[in-house]
Amino acid sequence: MSKILVTGGTGYIGSHTVVELLNAGHEAVIIDNLSNSEAAVLDGIEQITGKRPPFYQEDVRNRTAVQGIFTDHPDISAVIHFAAFKAVGESVMKPLAYYGNNLDSTINLLECMLAANVPFFVFSSSCTVYGQPDELPVSESAPIKQAESPYGNTKQMCEDILRNVAAATELQAISLRYFNPVGAHESALIGELPRGVPNNLMPFITQTAIGKREKLTVFGDDYNTPDGSGVRDYIHVVDLAKAHVKACERLIAGDNKKSIEFFNLGTGRGYSVLEVIRAFERVNGVKLNYVIGPRRAGDIEKVYADTSLSNNELGWKAELGLDEMVASAWKWEQRLGS
Ligand code: NAD
Ligand code: UD1
């Protein structure tokens, strides 16, 4: 049993990860400034697990606050760093806010944890670092492409920071490159909290289905894919969360092969936008109002993960399929709407 500090632990992926850490017998300590989440998420975590982790409503950039957590909890073994701004479009409009938050929080956290002799660090990265890969499925050794947005660039820069710090210090890091996280906990007690008009496909689908949006636009049906719509590797957020538990356990057990490792987190299976829509309609018995529109600027055609490294090394494999993803996303939307 280990105690893990989770930054951004009341957020979408963080809250599901806290649940999986607690389910696996670990303890969690959460720091989140609630810039994109609510304290009520702690109630959901408690209802699911029967435990309420210590919570610090603080900014990860605040050195005194982070140092204070390591002082309060000298038995913290590892850190999972979710806290970041994540809206791609907003990052284009507010690059300094994104570089400031995503880089400064990472640097401050690394300094504090190394000072506290906590060397194990799990980082939230993204498949966006690959851009449109030359080969599919894309493996971790694929070249990193020029970032499409300041947000994507912060992920690449943080990976570089981790590489440099791991080479120079005791840091042992795992960077997890998420494909497209969707869905919610089966209890519908935690999920993704929408902010404004969603950019991502799944929340747009569920909000259209419940009547918050008039219609969904499919961004292009002339891609070089089986039905012409874009293909992505959607991954259930609960599967994603479980991979973080494995990553912490690997570091703490000393099973990592290098001081920094990178793992793709996807299912290895790509689905098109139209396939997701059809699955949503079939599984939930709901008709979706959608139209075909033009391509969205900056979108890639298709991407899906080579998961062999995470399967073999992390001992992790996504277990939930598209049906569970669309069912849980719908259940969560209905709960939000009620
Ligand atoms: P989220 O916004 O739901 O969660 C992030 C949490 O961090 C929020 O609760 C927010 O309040 C908090 N936060 C932000 N800046 C903070 C700061 N300076 N100090 C303290 N708390 C702060 O986002 P999410 O979807 O759970 O994403 C978690 C991580 O995964 C992020 O780093 C994100 O970039 C990355 N990621 C997400 C996706 C995705 O599609 N959701 C894909 C790839 C990578
Ligand atoms: C987005 C992010 C990317 C991040 C990834 C995973 C952008 C530009 N990119 O990409 O940085 O790594 O999520 O979180 O935001 N679609 C529609 N109609 C919609 C919304 C989406 O057809 O209303 C299509 C898109 O064209 C795409 C697919 O659905 O083919 C998935 O879109 P989205 O959920 O936004 O994810 P990504 O484009 O993969």
Side-chain angles (χ1 to χ4, degrees):
M1 206 242 352
S2 303
K3 188 183 276 190
I4 314 289
L5 175 61
V6 183
T7 80
T10 48
Y12 173 45
I13 305 170
S15 58
H16 288 83
T17 299
V18 167
V19 165
E20 295 308 322
L21 283 169
L22 299 175
N23 283 345
H26 299 296
E27 285 180 56
V29 176
I30 297 176
I31 173 171
D32 198 303
N33 63 2
L34 303 183
S35 57
N36 198 36
S37 58
E38 292 170 6
V41 172
L42 297 165
D43 300 334
I45 292 171
E46 188 173 9
Q47 277 176 272
I48 295 169
T49 64
K51 294 172 199 148
R52 194 174 183 93
F55 172 61
Y56 293 81
Q57 186 182 338
E58 298 284 359
D59 197 299
V60 181
R61 290 169 290 184
N62 179 335
R63 173 123 351 156
T64 315
V66 177
Q67 281 171 338
I69 297 175
F70 285 110
T71 307
D72 289 354
H73 301 274
D75 50 345
I76 287 174
S77 308
V79 177
I80 310 179
H81 182 36
F82 291 106
F85 292 155
K86 63 163 181 176
V88 176
E90 186 183 63
S91 79
V92 176
M93 312 302 295
K94 300 179 183 171
L96 287 174
Y98 273 67
Y99 286 115
N101 194 39
N102 296 4
L103 299 183
D104 289 352
S105 64
T106 304
I107 293 166
N108 189 46
L109 188 58
L110 288 168
E111 282 177 340
C112 292
M113 54 185 281
L114 289 172
N117 291 315
V118 178
F120 304 128
F121 189 79
V122 177
F123 179 65
S124 294
S125 188
S126 167
C127 69
T128 193
V129 301
Y130 300 123
Q132 176 62 67
D134 302 323
E135 282 174 36
L136 289 173
V138 60
S139 79
E140 291 82 353
S141 55
I144 301 302
K145 298 272 177 75
Q146 171 75 45
E148 289 275 353
S149 67
Y151 165 74
N153 210 19
T154 67
K155 293 298 172 193
Q156 295 188 4
M157 292 168 89
C158 283
E159 286 197 346
D160 281 340
I161 291 170
L162 292 176
R163 257 188 215 97
N164 297 157
V165 177
T169 70
E170 297 304 306
L171 181 73
Q172 305 287 307
I174 290 181
S175 181
L176 298 174
R177 293 175 177 164
Y178 312 159
F179 281 66
N180 287 56
V182 295
H185 193 266
E186 60 173 1
S187 64
L189 290 166
I190 53 173
E192 187 169 16
L193 284 179
R195 208 179 52 158
V197 181
N199 288 308
N200 294 119
L201 178 64
M202 195 63 82
F204 211 103
I205 287 178
T206 58
Q207 291 197 5
T208 305
I210 210 155
K212 286 184 195 160
R213 312 269 153 221
E214 188 207 336
K215 60 173 187 290
L216 168 77
T217 302
V218 176
F219 295 142
D221 68 347
D222 57 352
Y223 285 111
N224 181 24
T225 60
D227 62 26
S229 62
V231 167
R232 298 288 185 276
D233 187 340
Y234 298 94
I235 171 155
H236 198 296
V237 65
V238 171
D239 275 331
L240 194 71
K242 288 178 178 168
H244 292 75
V245 181
K246 294 280 190 187
C248 288
E249 290 172 346
R250 178 179 176 86
L251 289 171
I252 293 165
D255 290 340
N256 53 318
K257 301 228 164 93
K258 287 183 247 164
S259 59
I260 177 153
E261 297 179 312
F262 302 87
F263 293 110
N264 284 344
L265 296 184
T267 64
R269 165 88 156 85
Y271 285 102
S272 73
V273 176
L274 292 169
E275 282 178 306
V276 176
I277 292 172
R278 275 189 222 106
F280 183 86
E281 292 186 327
R282 173 177 51 77
V283 170
N284 297 316
V286 182
K287 200 89 197 93
L288 205 64
N289 185 22
Y290 70 91
V291 294
I292 307 292
R295 293 181 179 193
R296 178 171 67 179
D299 263 0
I300 59 165
E301 186 167 271
K302 55 187 167 207
V303 66
Y304 45 94
D306 180 340
T307 60
S308 43
L309 197 66
S310 47
N311 296 166
N312 297 334
E313 287 295 324
L314 270 189
W316 167 90
K317 199 173 188 336
E319 289 167 349
L320 301 168
L322 185 59
D323 286 9
E324 285 101 345
M325 299 181 210
V326 295
S328 64
W330 181 228
K331 196 171 164 188
W332 169 246
E333 182 67 60
Q334 288 174 296
R335 166 136 191 283
L336 281 179
S338 65

